[in-house]
Structures are given as C-alpha cells and as structure tokens.
Amino acid sequence: MKIGAKFPSRMPTSYVLKQIAAPPPAAAYHPTTLLDGKVRPPRISYRDQGRIRKACRMAGIDPASIGLPPEVVTYPAVKQPKGSEKEVKKYTREKNIVENMAKMDERIAEWKEERRKLKESTKPELPF
C-alpha cells in the first residue's frame, strides 16, 4: 500500500543524502563541452539528480538552494490515452464537443446578429 510522497517505499540512499548535506558545485549538474566539441555527461547523472530533487521535496528543501538546475519537463502536459483507434477517436470527439460547447454562447450571438442584419436588408424602405 502506497501512503504518499511523504512516506516513500524506500528511503534515499546515503549518496543522495550526502549530496544534500554537502552539495557539490553547480557545474557538477550540467554537461561539459570539451574543446573538440564532444559533450560529456554531467558528473552527477540525470537519474541521480531526480533522486536528489525528490529527497529535497520530501525534506521540504528547495532544490535550487543546493545548486540543482530547474526541472525540465520534456513530456506533453496532456497525454493522449492509449487504446484502440476507436477509443482514441471517441476521446478526441468528446474533447472537441466540450471545447465547442464552451464557445456556443458567442456563436449563437453571432448567428442572431447575422440573422437580424439579413432581415433588415430584405425589409423594403417604403412603409406601404
């Protein structure tokens, strides 16, 4: 049974705790570019940076205070659901319906305005 982020299934390793207690220089978290153009990975791997960031969150410490760069989210905010093609089409159709219903009041107002103008233009100028 998972209880939550405050109580992890495993405690952080001694390596992670050491990085929090005595943080390395900020350059250890960034990749290094050599003179010949080759890029070397950071001294502290991205996976370990994630572990350190998670331990900081659990302890209530700001990760930027120990030199960690801001977290970069590379995945899209809204993921498409997995499933058959029919289910995906149904999901996108429902999503479009919700978006169109949000715009419905504006569309009705525009339609009424166009209808009023059309009726006014067909009305004869003379009253008889």
Side-chain angles (χ1 to χ4, degrees), residues 25-78:
Y29 297 113
H30 299 286
T32 310
T33 306
L34 301 176
L35 293 175
D36 60 352
K38 292 183 181 176
V39 178
R40 298 187 78 186
R43 221 174 72 209
I44 298 174
S45 70
Y46 293 118
R47 180 176 285 183
D48 284 336
Q49 288 182 31
R51 290 176 179 148
I52 294 167
R53 192 172 276 113
K54 184 177 181 181
C56 285
R57 260 194 310 255
M58 287 190 306
I61 301 170
D62 181 28
S65 67
I66 62 167
L68 268 171
E71 190 172 10
V72 178
V73 180
T74 57
Y75 54 86
V78 178

Side-chain angles (χ1 to χ4, degrees), residues 37-117:
K38 292 183 181 176
V39 178
R40 298 187 78 186
R43 221 174 72 209
I44 298 174
S45 70
Y46 293 118
R47 180 176 285 183
D48 284 336
Q49 288 182 31
R51 290 176 179 148
I52 294 167
R53 192 172 276 113
K54 184 177 181 181
C56 285
R57 260 194 310 255
M58 287 190 306
I61 301 170
D62 181 28
S65 67
I66 62 167
L68 268 171
E71 190 172 10
V72 178
V73 180
T74 57
Y75 54 86
V78 178
K79 290 185 178 181
Q80 286 289 333
K82 292 184 178 180
S84 67
E85 185 177 342
K86 182 179 178 182
E87 291 171 344
V88 172
K89 284 184 179 179
K90 182 180 177 184
Y91 170 79
T92 54
R93 184 173 179 271
E94 288 174 357
K95 185 178 165 190
N96 288 338
I97 289 171
V98 169
E99 289 175 1
N100 288 337
M101 288 304 290
K103 301 175 190 172
M104 192 55 71
D105 293 334
E106 297 171 13
R107 293 179 71 185
I108 290 172
E110 288 175 13
W111 176 78
K112 284 184 178 181
E113 184 66 26
E114 288 176 18
R115 191 168 158 219
R116 186 186 62 77
K117 286 181 181 178

